[in-house]
Amino acid sequence: MNIHANNRPLQMVSFIIPAMNEEETLETLFSGIANQMERLAYDWEVLFIDDGSTDRSWSEMSRLARLHPGTVRSFRFRRNLGKADALALGYEQAAGDVVFTMDADLQDDPCEIPRFLEKLEEGFGIVTGWKRKRYDPWHKVLPSRVFNAVLSRLVGVPLHDHNCGFKAYRREVVKVLPMYGEMHRMVPSLASFEGYQTAEIVVQHHARQFGVSKYGVKRILCGIFDMTTVSFLKTYRNRPMHFFGRLAMLSGGVAGLLWATAIGLTVAGLAATVPAMAGVLFAIAAMLFVGQGLQLEHGVYREMKEARELPVSQVVEAPAPTSHLDFDRATRVA
């Protein structure tokens, strides 16, 4: 069983820096991280991931890796895969007890690193930044605020800024969470399902000086779909039949009403083909929903039977009594 050791001393810190076309910022960001870590009693490393850059970002990452062997490691995707895949690679490769994620555009300030570490030492699984004052255009800020408010309500993790890429995690968190699609924005929500708590601290946000934002309308749409996925997982991930069963009952009820209507029309001597056929379609949909629910339930059963790890955070075990006298004492203490 994997026990969540939230009170274990932190000794090493890994920084994961995904980047696409950020050649002007990488050395400055590394220097800022280095300045902070040299003052702290931690070993540390930086993992740069080039997510399909078309500028000199990879050349800069390679140069930093050669200049700082043992501290900097650089990885390059053959094409652009997205931030989630870059983070997934970083999570897999990171050796630290703490894993930081930071954007490469210099909008995240390395001076905040000690505050993240202090908060983690309090026992939280995740510490995320809150850019209370943002230097982004309104068409980026407004959708983000709406997204954060809705997501907080849906999943019960009240954060002002789920989107903030400046986060620190205990190692065990990033090792157990899936990372795909756009799910990097959902990590606090997904972690809450496993019993990890997230703390939020206000961080300094800087205006972008180089390059261009990768944020667009597509990300807004993806956010809506991801919220739907996370909301479903929160409520039904271990009991999917409860969801699909309700859909089946609804479809079956509609089918019954349509057939009743068809019977009534037939008795009245009117055409009943359309409601009768529509009833058949809804009945088929009900059977499909039941089949989907049963299939997913079977998958949950197999997962729990084979290798499911329950989110135990601490274990207290008293020594077994060795005599009747000890048993009596234990009973009185309890």
Side-chain angles (χ1 to χ4, degrees):
M1 181 183 296
N2 181 29
I3 305 302
H4 297 176
N6 280 10
N7 56 355
R8 179 169 51 83
L10 308 175
Q11 299 177 341
M12 183 171 181
V13 180
S14 298
F15 294 88
I16 302 174
I17 316 293
M20 185 179 75
N21 296 339
E22 301 284 2
E23 61 178 294
E24 301 95 342
T25 66
L26 298 175
E27 182 171 12
T28 302
L29 177 58
F30 174 78
S31 297
I33 293 172
N35 289 338
Q36 294 301 315
M37 296 309 297
E38 287 171 0
R39 304 171 188 173
L40 301 171
Y42 299 93
D43 296 325
W44 59 285
E45 65 174 358
V46 174
L47 281 66
F48 287 112
I49 296 104
D50 182 358
D51 186 21
S53 295
T54 56
D55 64 357
R56 297 185 64 259
S57 293
W58 176 244
S59 297
E60 187 65 14
M61 292 178 186
S62 300
R63 185 182 68 84
L64 289 170
R66 288 192 295 268
L67 284 176
H68 305 281
T71 299
V72 176
R73 290 187 284 156
S74 297
F75 304 85
R76 186 184 193 184
F77 288 154
R78 287 187 292 272
R79 61 180 179 86
N80 176 248
L81 297 179
K83 189 173 183 179
D85 283 323
L87 292 176
L89 175 62
Y91 294 163
E92 179 184 322
Q93 295 292 326
D97 302 298
V98 175
V99 177
F100 272 87
T101 59
M102 298 178 68
D103 292 336
D105 55 14
L106 299 182
Q107 292 189 276
D108 298 334
D109 195 333
C111 292
E112 307 283 1
I113 292 171
R115 296 178 55 228
F116 278 85
L117 292 171
E118 289 173 5
K119 204 68 178 176
L120 277 179
E121 292 283 6
E122 295 178 15
F124 291 97
I126 305 173
V127 180
T128 184
W130 171 22
K131 296 172 285 189
R132 177 183 288 172
K133 185 175 182 180
R134 295 183 59 171
Y135 295 93
D136 289 319
W138 70 269
H139 64 269
K140 182 177 180 180
V141 175
L142 181 59
S144 179
R145 287 179 176 171
V146 173
F147 171 85
N148 286 309
V150 174
L151 182 60
S152 294
R153 186 172 183 83
L154 281 177
V155 301
V157 181
L159 299 177
H160 295 88
D161 197 356
H162 289 264
N163 286 323
C164 183
F166 199 176
K167 290 181 172 68
Y169 314 82
R170 287 181 175 266
R171 175 185 177 86
E172 58 265 26
V173 177
V174 301
K175 297 300 182 182
V176 300
L177 295 182
M179 188 54 54
Y180 60 94
E182 296 285 330
M183 284 297 173
H184 55 87
R185 293 180 291 169
M186 305 293 177
V187 167
S189 303
L190 295 172
S192 71
F193 304 161
E194 303 295 334
Y196 292 104
Q197 291 186 317
T198 299
E200 188 175 50
I201 62 175
V202 177
V203 295
Q204 177 67 40
H205 186 236
H206 298 284
R208 176 183 276 274
Q209 302 177 36
F210 306 97
V212 296
S213 174
K214 284 72 178 180
Y215 183 91
V217 177
K218 179 181 177 182
R219 188 178 178 190
I220 298 175
L221 296 175
C222 291
I224 295 173
F225 299 146
D226 291 339
M227 277 196 296
T228 304
T229 299
V230 171
S231 179
F232 174 83
L233 291 175
K234 177 179 185 292
T235 308
Y236 298 109
R237 65 178 181 143
N238 291 331
R239 47 192 181 97
M241 190 60 186
H242 289 199
F243 175 77
F244 288 100
R246 291 175 183 178
L247 293 180
M249 291 178 65
L250 178 61
S251 295
V254 173
L257 289 174
L258 288 169
W259 284 334
T261 301
I263 293 172
L265 291 173
T266 301
V267 171
L270 300 174
T273 303
V274 172
M277 294 304 297
V280 171
L281 292 176
F282 274 96
I284 292 173
M287 290 186 288
L288 291 175
F289 285 136
V290 170
Q292 182 68 35
L294 291 174
Q295 182 179 14
L296 292 175
E297 285 282 346
H298 179 64
V300 171
Y301 172 78
R302 290 183 59 185
E303 177 190 355
M304 296 184 69
K305 183 179 180 181
E306 292 174 2
R308 181 155 192 257
E309 293 186 356
L310 298 177
V312 178
S313 60
Q314 292 178 305
V315 174
V316 177
E317 295 179 326
T322 56
S323 68
H324 292 293
L325 179 61
D326 288 338
F327 179 79
D328 292 339
R329 289 174 178 172
T331 303
R332 287 197 297 273
V333 170

